[in-house]
Amino acid sequence: MSNTSQPNKEAPQPLLKEVAGIYTAPPAHWVGNGFHVRSMFSYADAFQGSDPFVLLDYAAEEQFSPNPGAPRGVGPHPHKGFETVTIAYQGEVAHRDSSGGGGTIQTGDVQWMTAGRGIVHDEFHSREFSEKGGLFEMVQLWVNLPAKDKETPAAYQPIRKEEIPVLVLPDDAGSVRLIAGSYQGEQGPAKTFTEMNVWDVVLHANASTVFTLPATHNLSLAILRGEVRINEGENAQAGALVRFQMGGETLELQAGENGATILLLSGVPLNEPVVGYGPFVMNSMDEIRQAFADYERGKFGNLA
C-alpha cells in the first residue's frame, strides 16, 4: 500500500470584478430651478450595464443664497413603473405625493418612493433651507421595477439618517452607510422589490479596502468626490461612473490623497426590455402611451 500523500490544494481565489468602462458625466443641467445635476447614466444610454438601476442624477455641492420667496425645485409631475431614491448629502428636500407620502428629508436622510402604477409628486428645497440658504448636494437614483410589479400601488419610505447603519471598514479605511442590501451581516432599512445593494462608501485618504459582492450582480460605482484606484489598475475621479463586467466577486478600491466618496450600486439584473420616455419607465412603447393616457385621465391621483 502506498503512503504517498496528495499535495495540499489551495482554495481558488475569488475573481475580480472587471471594469467594463469609465464614463465622465456630461455638464450639469437644471431640473426645475432647484436641482443642478449631472446625469451619470440614464435609460437612454446605449449600454444598459446598470440594470436594475436606470438613472442617476448627481447635484454636486453648490452654495445657494437665501431665497425667502417661493422655494426652488420642481412642481407637480408624474412617474410610473419604477422607484425614485433621493439621498440628501447636504441641504433639505421637501416632498409630497399623491399616495399621501411626504415630508422633509434633511442632511443624511433618504426618501424611497415607489411610483408603481402611477404617482404625482413635487420636490422643493425645504422652506427652512430656502430662507437660510447654504450648501446643497444630493443624488436621485431611479430603480427599475420588474414587469410583474409595475402596477404595484404607489408608496413612500422615509428613511432617517439614524436608521441607516454606518459600518466601519477593516483597518479603519473608511465606512459604509448601508441604505439597501447587506454588508458585514447587517441589513439596510430600504425595502426593495429585487435583490440589490445601495451603499454610501467613504474612503479615507490613501486608504484601501476590498469588497466581496455577488457574481450575479451588475455593479456600478458613481465617484462623487475625490479619486479612486480600482483593482490596482485604472483611476476614476469625481464625476465618473465606473461600470463592471458581469461575474467576479472581488472589488479592490484605493482612495487618493484627498479620500473618496462613492455610491456603490449592485443588483441582480432584471433582463427585461427597458423603454423610458420622460417620467415613465416601462417595458414597451404601448405601455408608455398607456401611462400618458392614465395620467391625463387623473388615474395617478392629485396632490393635496
Side-chain angles (χ1 to χ4, degrees), residues 30-84:
W30 286 96
V31 177
N33 66 352
F35 308 110
H36 197 206
V37 305
R38 300 176 73 180
S39 294
M40 302 187 79
F41 65 85
S42 80
Y43 54 68
D45 293 345
F47 174 54
Q48 289 294 332
S50 298
D51 184 8
F53 308 101
V54 291
L55 180 145
L56 175 62
D57 280 348
Y58 174 49
E61 180 181 86
E62 185 166 349
Q63 179 74 37
F64 281 86
S65 59
N67 180 41
R72 300 178 179 95
V74 184
H77 57 283
H79 290 302
K80 182 177 182 179
F82 63 99
E83 302 182 285
T84 67

Side-chain angles (χ1 to χ4, degrees), residues 140-160:
Q140 186 165 99
L141 171 70
W142 291 12
V143 181
N144 202 8
L145 286 171
K148 66 181 181 62
D149 294 314
K150 286 191 179 291
E151 295 296 326
T152 196
Y156 179 75
Q157 299 179 61
I159 303 172
R160 296 299 178 193

Side-chain angles (χ1 to χ4, degrees), residues 42-44 54-55 76-84 113 115-121 142-145 150-151 273-301:
S42 80
Y43 54 68
V54 291
L55 180 145
H77 57 283
H79 290 302
K80 182 177 182 179
F82 63 99
E83 302 182 285
T84 67
M113 185 189 78
R117 67 176 62 155
I119 200 168
V120 177
H121 78 144
W142 291 12
V143 181
N144 202 8
L145 286 171
K150 286 191 179 291
E151 295 296 326
V274 175
V275 180
Y277 193 99
F280 306 133
V281 179
M282 303 301 291
N283 299 111
S284 71
M285 275 307 302
D286 283 345
E287 291 175 337
I288 293 289
R289 285 187 281 269
Q290 187 63 52
F292 275 104
D294 289 345
Y295 169 59
E296 290 168 0
R297 291 173 186 145
K299 291 188 175 181
F300 292 5

Side-chain angles (χ1 to χ4, degrees), residues 136-217:
F136 188 86
E137 180 184 9
M138 60 145 267
V139 159
Q140 186 165 99
L141 171 70
W142 291 12
V143 181
N144 202 8
L145 286 171
K148 66 181 181 62
D149 294 314
K150 286 191 179 291
E151 295 296 326
T152 196
Y156 179 75
Q157 299 179 61
I159 303 172
R160 296 299 178 193
K161 176 181 177 180
E162 296 76 18
E163 301 174 60
I164 302 173
V166 180
L167 306 171
V168 177
L169 293 170
D171 301 320
D172 195 30
S175 62
V176 171
R177 268 201 342 143
L178 184 55
I179 296 169
S182 60
Y183 179 68
Q184 293 183 353
E186 294 277 352
Q187 192 73 29
K191 298 179 178 65
T192 66
F193 283 78
T194 57
E195 181 183 316
M196 68 185 65
N197 293 308
V198 179
W199 298 351
D200 215 355
V201 179
V202 173
L203 291 178
H204 297 155
N206 300 312
S208 60
T209 196
V210 176
F211 292 117
T212 300
L213 295 152
T216 55
H217 281 203

